[in-house]
Structures are given as structure tokens and as C-alpha cells.
Amino acid sequence: MALTTDGRRAYVADSGSGTVSVIDMTTTALAGAPITVGGLPRAIALSHDEKRLYVADSATGHVIVVDTAMSTVLGPPVEVGGTPSAIAVSGTRAYVADAGSGTVSVFDTGTGAVVGEPITDALAPATVAAAPDGARVYIADAGSDAVLVVDSDTLTVTGRIALPGTPNGLAVSPDGRRLLVTMPALKTLVTVDPASLSVIGSPIPVGGAPHGVTISRDGRRAYVANAASDSLSVVDL
């Protein structure tokens, strides 16, 4: 799911129907018919101006671009290959994680052109997130039990943060000073300091098989989706 900055609209990917639904959060009703994107949409992300929605399709290896004002698909899809399962947008770049091929592809959101070669340092990239200033990108690598730190200019790995288990979800605090990482097998949420490349404090117990995580805009709370316990954990940060 992707939420607009004002909290009035939510975009929800449905891999079962190959659509993205738009929800009016003031009424909790659908805002028009679902947008047909086809394939198996697995992850979505909004551009910073919220005029575009980027949909990672794990069936075709493409990223589909949606005009949010018209709720229509724009132009040809961007080919990233493999089975993309996570996407993050920072400035004029989109970062697409593909756990199947062990790569993170980068493309220019303005032109749709692929930037450089895919990042291949992660064995099984589960999630990707960008720092608020766009200088760094973080990859949760389920294959090596670590978070990789990537320089967004050079697209090279500049650091590695070892974790106490296999990561899945990843979120960056609004000030960029903390990372939150979900550990499905351990039923915990881990806090990471990207500056010192270290885990901070003790893991925070949440629900069963925690996957997705997001942080409130004021940085005070985290919300964790627990797949095995069908619940949402609210964490006071």
C-alpha cells in the first residue's frame, strides 16, 4: 500500500486481480474503479509529487507507471527483469528489488531509462528503502542476514549492518538517523543506526511473522504488519 502525504488517499496493490485500488480515506470507500495494471502487482510506491504511482509486476519483470490524476497507465512499462517484489522512489530515481535474481535495478523516473548496472551485492534483497535526503539506499538482504548501505551516486555498497536474524521489512525514520527492520522468524523489530552500522538496543517483540513496517511522519510511532497473527503492532519509538 502507498499513502498520500495528506493521508486522504491510499493505493492498494492486488496481485490476485492484477489491479490497484484507490481508497478515499475520509470515507473509506473506493475512489472509482480499480486501475488495471495486469500481471502480479507486488509492490507500489508514489513519486514525491504524488503525480505518479510505480507498480512492480512480479509476473512480467516490469514496473508500470500510473498517472494518479487520471488513474490511467502511462506509456510502456519499464523493464527491470526477473520478479520484482519491492520498490522505493527517491528524487528522480526508482530502486527495484528482485529477490529471485538477487539484484536491485535502478531507473530514471523522468525518462524510464535504466541507470547503470543492477546492484548485485545482496544475495536475496527482500526490501529496499531510501534515506530522506536521497544520499543513501538501504537493502534488506534476507540471504546474508544484513542491511546493505548503498551510495546513491555511485550505486556501490559502502557498508553492511549485521542483523540477529533474517530481515524482511525496512523503514527509514523521517530524520534518516534510524532504520527499523522486521525479523519474521524472531517475531521482532530491530532498530539500526546507519551511521555506526550497528544494531541499537534490544529487539522489540511484535506479532507473528512481522513483514511490512512503516513509521509515522512525526517519527514517534512504527506500525508493523504481522502476517502470521493477522495483526498490526503499534510501537512507541
Side-chain angles (χ1 to χ4, degrees), residues 127 168-172 179-182 189-190 210-215 221-225 232-233 235 237:
T127 315
N168 189 281
L170 182 64
V172 187
L179 304 179
L180 297 182
V181 190
T182 59
L189 182 70
V190 169
H211 283 268
V213 57
T214 190
I215 301 173
R221 289 186 174 185
Y223 301 90
V224 183
L232 184 76
S233 295
V235 180
L237 295 178

Side-chain angles (χ1 to χ4, degrees), residues 149-163:
V149 184
V150 177
D151 184 302
S152 61
D153 286 333
T154 62
L155 299 182
T156 57
V157 173
T158 59
R160 182 180 182 277
I161 305 164
L163 299 170

Side-chain angles (χ1 to χ4, degrees), residues 161-165 169-171 179-183 186 188-192 198-204:
I161 305 164
L163 299 170
L170 182 64
L179 304 179
L180 297 182
V181 190
T182 59
M183 300 286 176
L186 302 178
T188 58
L189 182 70
V190 169
T191 306
V192 168
S198 61
V199 173
I200 303 171
S202 301
I204 302 167

Side-chain angles (χ1 to χ4, degrees), residues 83 96-105 118-125 139 141:
T83 53
V96 186
D98 183 344
S101 64
T103 63
V104 173
S105 299
I119 302 166
T120 59
D121 299 82
L123 299 177
I139 303 170
D141 183 10

Side-chain angles (χ1 to χ4, degrees), residues 6-234:
D6 60 13
R8 294 182 179 180
R9 282 200 168 191
Y11 297 86
V12 183
D14 183 354
S15 58
S17 64
T19 63
V20 173
S21 294
V22 187
I23 301 172
D24 183 329
M25 298 302 286
T26 60
T27 64
T28 66
L30 288 174
I35 305 164
T36 299
V37 293
L40 293 170
R42 286 281 303 278
I44 55 180
L46 280 165
S47 62
H48 286 288
D49 61 10
E50 300 179 351
K51 293 181 179 180
R52 300 288 183 268
L53 182 75
Y54 298 92
V55 184
D57 179 5
S58 62
T60 64
H62 291 154
V63 172
I64 295 122
V65 185
V66 173
D67 182 321
T68 57
M70 303 298 294
S71 292
T72 55
V73 173
L74 288 173
V78 180
E79 185 173 348
V80 292
T83 53
S85 55
I87 185 169
V89 176
S90 177
T92 60
R93 286 186 174 183
Y95 301 85
V96 186
D98 183 344
S101 64
T103 63
V104 173
S105 299
V106 186
F107 69 88
D108 187 300
T109 57
T111 65
V114 173
V115 178
E117 295 296 323
I119 302 166
T120 59
D121 299 82
L123 299 177
T127 315
V128 60
D133 62 3
R136 285 178 164 187
V137 177
Y138 305 100
I139 303 170
D141 183 10
S144 67
D145 294 350
V147 170
L148 306 184
V149 184
V150 177
D151 184 302
S152 61
D153 286 333
T154 62
L155 299 182
T156 57
V157 173
T158 59
R160 182 180 182 277
I161 305 164
L163 299 170
T166 302
N168 189 281
L170 182 64
V172 187
S173 64
D175 61 8
R177 298 175 64 184
R178 294 290 182 269
L179 304 179
L180 297 182
V181 190
T182 59
M183 300 286 176
L186 302 178
K187 303 179 182 180
T188 58
L189 182 70
V190 169
T191 306
V192 168
D193 177 6
S196 64
L197 302 181
S198 61
V199 173
I200 303 171
S202 301
I204 302 167
V206 286
H211 283 268
V213 57
T214 190
I215 301 173
S216 62
R217 292 184 181 87
D218 60 9
R220 298 177 64 183
R221 289 186 174 185
Y223 301 90
V224 183
N226 306 301
S229 58
D230 297 338
S231 64
L232 184 76
S233 295
V234 183

